Amino acid sequence: MSENDVSQSSFVTAPLGRVFAKTALPIIFVMGMNGTLAIVDAVFLGIYAGPGAVAAVTLIFPFVMVMNALAALVGSGMSSVLARHLGAGNAMQARAVFAGAHGFSLMMAAGLWGLFALFGAPLTIRLADGDAALAGAGYQYLAVLVAGLPVMFLLAVNGDALRNEGRAAMMAGLSLLVSIGNMGLNYILIAQMDMGVVGSALATLAAQVSGLFLVVVYRHRDGAILRFGRHMMRELGRGWRDIAMLGVPQCLGMLGIALGAGAVIAALQITLKGAGDYAMTITAFGIVTRITSFVFLPVLGLAQAFQSLAGHNYGAGNAGRVRQSLKLAMLVALAYCVLVELLLAGFARVLGSAFVDDGQVQGEIARILPMVMTAFFTVGPMMMVATYFQAIGNAGRAALLGLAKPYLFALPATFLLPLWLGESGIWLARPVADISLVLLTGLVVMRWASGFNMVGRPG
């Protein structure tokens, strides 16, 4: 039996709970390490470079989310197609999609270089509300990350490919090595060399380069299912339409997060106009964002594992196993989200003290964090439903459920709720959006179930 056959049979025939855990745990570990890096980075910046450095990186967060969103567009779109091809045993089509994802990634990186050259400086000034020092630090941080976009995109594509090849444990091992190196570089460049936000960005880029190098070494081995080779040059333009169509929901969802962060900054500028605590609130918002992003990463890991599992079984025509995997993913996600919400509500101030010594900023974190996490218990299950539709190739419903929360609910609520509730309305916009998505998801699923069976085919 070939390695390709082994990777397919583990998703399609192995005990469901075991294969889900075997796939999900390494992915969660990888994302946990990435989240830990973000936390360590914020701690180093807060302690050694000061709250101003944390504020500068926070202002750039919308730009970083745009880059992550475009990486997710290629990675998640390719992943949906790749899993179904591997599940059906179509190795040639899988390799073509894999090559096309690399071409798509390089094209997008080149486009973003041009956009940054034209609009990077004025946008950072605007987000800094005219503060030249804050904008300058943010621009320097962003410039390093933009320079490394090809590495970031190609690393994301190969990470998603390894997951669908059944190599999640390998992906976790590579991530561990890279993350340890990144943390060490963070300490050297930020704490020892006093390079501030530039040191943080350089450490990230160096870690990504190291990770991609290790992937290249693996892809040239005989045992790799998807190998690098000259054939890829002929197929760099393959599958772009399918990748884009299926990747757009997750991409636009992450862009919605970026817009949401920008909307919060804009709403704070309006609500706190003339107040002296704007910079303090922005710093607290940045730390809250790091915390909430960190606890969200395991949910994303569960969704990615579920997507691979459901996609392989959908490709193999195993309807019952698809249904069972959806139920399992929703229950695990619900249990995790409930636990996290309770813990963050009880230890918000303690978490704040780990980032900054400023008592006022700690107080802001303790005030803001419980509000934004009020309905976090809904986030995991709703994400599994949206991921299910993406896994079976139902791009329309995946897009609706993935985009409704940031665009239809969260953005309007961020500006409307403060009209009645003041600054607290900015933070309550997120739980309002979470609950609204639950209602919409219920309507979508009921309407879909009346005409479709559980593998997305007319029933």
Side-chain angles (χ1 to χ4, degrees), residues 140-154:
Q140 290 175 336
Y141 176 81
L142 185 60
V144 176
L145 297 183
V146 170
L149 278 173
V151 176
M152 174 187 174
F153 287 167
L154 294 180

Side-chain angles (χ1 to χ4, degrees), residues 42-276:
V43 170
F44 282 153
L45 287 174
I47 294 175
Y48 296 106
V54 178
V57 173
T58 300
L59 290 175
I60 298 305
F61 177 73
F63 293 102
V64 176
M65 285 304 302
V66 169
M67 294 187 289
N68 289 335
L70 292 176
L73 184 149
V74 186
S76 65
M78 176 205 68
S79 185
S80 177
V81 181
L82 190 64
R84 282 178 277 131
H85 281 319
L86 291 174
N90 300 324
M92 290 185 63
Q93 292 92 327
R95 294 187 182 106
V97 170
F98 178 65
H102 285 72
F104 201 173
S105 296
L106 295 174
M107 180 272 295
M108 286 199 305
L112 285 177
W113 279 345
L115 290 174
F116 178 74
L118 292 173
F119 304 112
L123 284 176
T124 51
I125 284 285
R126 179 67 186 89
L127 284 174
D129 200 22
D131 188 323
L134 203 58
Y139 181 84
Q140 290 175 336
Y141 176 81
L142 185 60
V144 176
L145 297 183
V146 170
L149 278 173
V151 176
M152 174 187 174
F153 287 167
L154 294 180
L155 192 59
V157 165
N158 280 274
D160 281 318
L162 285 170
R163 166 168 56 89
N164 285 290
E165 294 170 84
R167 298 290 184 265
M170 177 184 293
M171 181 178 63
L174 292 174
S175 176
L176 177 61
L177 293 174
V178 171
S179 297
I180 291 173
N182 196 347
M183 290 180 189
L185 283 173
N186 267 331
Y187 179 74
I188 293 170
L189 297 178
I190 298 174
Q192 298 298 310
M193 299 181 66
D194 197 25
M195 294 181 68
V197 295
V198 174
S200 170
L202 286 173
T204 299
L205 179 56
Q208 291 173 346
V209 170
S210 300
L212 187 59
F213 172 77
L214 293 173
V215 168
V216 170
V217 171
Y218 166 72
R219 292 286 180 208
H220 281 91
R221 293 177 55 191
D222 292 337
I225 297 172
L226 300 171
R227 298 186 63 193
F228 285 157
R230 294 181 180 178
H231 69 279
M232 292 182 65
M233 300 300 296
R234 300 189 299 269
E235 297 175 326
L236 289 176
R238 292 284 297 274
W240 286 19
R241 180 181 178 275
D242 289 340
I243 290 171
M245 184 174 68
L246 289 165
V248 158
Q250 186 167 339
C251 171
L252 291 180
M254 295 184 74
L255 285 176
I257 296 174
L259 287 174
V264 168
I265 292 171
L268 286 172
Q269 290 176 353
I270 295 170
T271 306
L272 302 178
K273 191 173 182 64

